[in-house]
Amino acid sequence: MKWIMVLGITVCMVLIALFEWPKMARNQKKEKAAFVTITAMGWLLSILLLFFPDMPGPTQLIDKLFKPLGKIIEK
């Protein structure tokens, strides 16, 4: 069942790319690279969240990094 959802996510990403790509001019190489990068990262994140729904978010990573620093500052 999850593989059908992966296919659906992939189809949505491809449709978005097909809709947006022609609107960008040929000389916009940096914009196209940014579009491909952000789209690929979004696709990867959505697939990861599909298979690992309890994956920790970025705020939990920030908490783990800075909680010891906060304890040092409080003293």
Side-chain angles (χ1 to χ4, degrees):
M1 185 67 180
K2 288 188 180 182
W3 291 106
I4 294 172
M5 294 176 81
V6 169
L7 182 65
I9 292 168
T10 304
V11 167
C12 286
M13 291 293 188
V14 168
L15 289 174
I16 290 169
L18 288 174
F19 180 73
E20 291 294 330
W21 195 265
K23 293 181 179 182
M24 289 185 259
R26 287 183 178 242
N27 59 353
Q28 293 180 322
K29 295 192 187 307
K30 289 182 182 179
E31 287 83 359
K32 287 182 178 183
F35 175 74
V36 169
T37 303
I38 292 171
T39 304
M41 287 173 51
W43 178 83
L44 181 65
L45 182 60
S46 64
I47 298 301
L48 282 173
L49 286 173
L50 178 65
F51 284 104
F52 306 107
D54 296 330
M55 190 170 61
T59 55
Q60 291 168 333
L61 175 68
I62 300 290
D63 284 343
K64 284 185 180 181
L65 287 175
F66 291 112
K67 189 175 259 186
L69 181 64
K71 289 180 181 178
I72 292 171
I73 293 174
E74 285 179 0
K75 291 181 181 181

